[in-house]
Amino acid sequence: ATKDEAKKHRYRQKISEYMTRAEDIKKHIEKEKQEGKYHKQIRIEENATGFGYEKLFQEYLTEIVSEVWVEDPYIRHVHQASRYSLYNFLRFCEMLVKGPCKVKTIHLLTSYDEGSGRSQQISSLEEIQQSLRNYGVTLNIAFSSSIHDREIRFNNGWMIKIGRGLDYFKKPQGRFSIGYCDFDLRPCHETTVDVFHTKHTKKI
């Protein structure tokens, strides 16, 4: 709005500098992605809120994402003490179904629940599998007794490693407490999220 030509010139110069810098950063990130050197780290503090799955993953779920790999040894019994891993995995699948990505296949690699919880674990995963089928999504389930890593990969090259896997939310104080339904309002356990980009996404 200024009529001062000198000021206008300075503003245009500054805007041009910022735009050039933004483009340079974008090119640098793209170069690191192509070379497999990109690494971003997010630290979630104890009791922090605002880290629902959409907040954490949406940036990487572009429209070209059609296949997802989830490796987590603890997608297990719903009644495990302080663990809601199966429900967390279901919530993660719901996010994928909502888009904007067009996910067609989800690969889950986890470990069997120990003891009496195994049959419920399998039936719960099969129920999720059937429900996803109604949305045109195939869930492939595999089990491993030696799996330790927790990571999530998308076929656009993004890989996310969360120290606690999908189970980084604290147990809600009650079924009618704020944060029970909305994970953005749920307090978190302290954990670290590492984001990488690789051109060659391995398959399970």
Side-chain angles (χ1 to χ4, degrees):
T2 182
K3 297 188 187 308
D4 188 325
E5 288 301 323
K7 280 186 178 179
K8 281 183 181 181
H9 178 71
R10 285 200 301 274
Y11 291 152
R12 287 195 192 100
Q13 198 172 17
K14 280 292 177 188
I15 290 168
S16 178
E17 286 174 11
Y18 290 138
M19 293 295 287
T20 302
R21 193 178 304 169
E23 280 299 315
D24 288 344
I25 291 169
K26 187 177 175 182
K27 286 175 185 174
H28 176 69
I29 290 173
E30 194 60 39
K31 184 172 181 288
E32 287 198 325
K33 280 167 56 181
Q34 293 300 320
E35 294 175 356
K37 295 177 181 177
Y38 181 89
H39 178 209
K40 174 183 177 182
Q41 188 172 82
I42 303 162
R43 186 162 188 82
I44 300 176
E45 302 292 343
E46 184 78 5
N47 291 316
T49 57
F51 289 97
Y53 293 148
E54 283 85 357
K55 171 80 172 179
L56 211 56
F57 296 106
Q58 208 72 55
E59 180 182 348
Y60 312 105
L61 287 170
T62 55
E63 290 186 4
I64 66 169
V65 174
S66 60
E67 199 166 5
V68 178
W69 293 263
V70 178
E71 291 186 18
D72 191 327
Y74 297 110
I75 308 297
R76 294 184 180 181
H77 198 12
V78 288
H79 297 304
Q80 250 184 344
S82 77
R83 287 196 179 275
Y84 288 77
S85 299
L86 281 163
Y87 283 126
N88 288 348
F89 179 66
L90 175 60
R91 183 66 64 91
F92 177 76
C93 291
E94 288 175 337
M95 176 194 66
L96 295 176
V97 167
K98 283 195 296 184
C101 54
K102 306 291 190 293
V103 171
K104 293 299 179 187
T105 310
I106 301 170
H107 304 273
L108 172 65
L109 180 63
T110 188
S111 59
Y112 281 115
D113 199 338
E114 297 166 0
S116 59
R118 181 177 296 192
S119 61
Q120 185 170 351
Q121 177 195 24
I122 293 170
S123 64
S124 299
L125 286 172
E126 286 175 347
E127 190 173 341
I128 295 172
Q129 188 178 48
Q130 178 56 49
S131 185
L132 282 167
R133 200 173 289 136
N134 295 335
Y135 288 87
V137 180
T138 300
L139 172 60
N140 296 321
I141 305 165
F143 296 94
S144 169
S145 58
S146 59
I147 177 178
H148 296 293
D149 290 345
R150 297 178 174 101
E151 64 181 49
I152 293 166
R153 300 189 303 279
F154 306 133
N155 67 322
N156 60 353
W158 288 110
M159 178 170 67
I160 295 96
K161 292 191 173 190
I162 308 173
R164 300 183 65 96
L166 291 172
D167 193 30
Y168 59 87
F169 297 104
K170 289 197 168 184
K171 182 180 177 181
Q173 294 181 340
R175 287 186 298 164
F176 297 98
S177 60
I178 296 297
Y180 185 87
C181 297
D182 190 338
F183 277 23
D184 278 336
L185 299 171
R186 180 85 67 88
C188 299
H189 291 286
E190 182 178 338
T191 194
T192 301
V193 182
D194 289 287
V195 181
F196 304 92
H197 190 277
T198 173
K199 288 179 9 179
H200 307 289
T201 306
K202 67 174 182 177
K203 294 190 176 184
I204 294 171

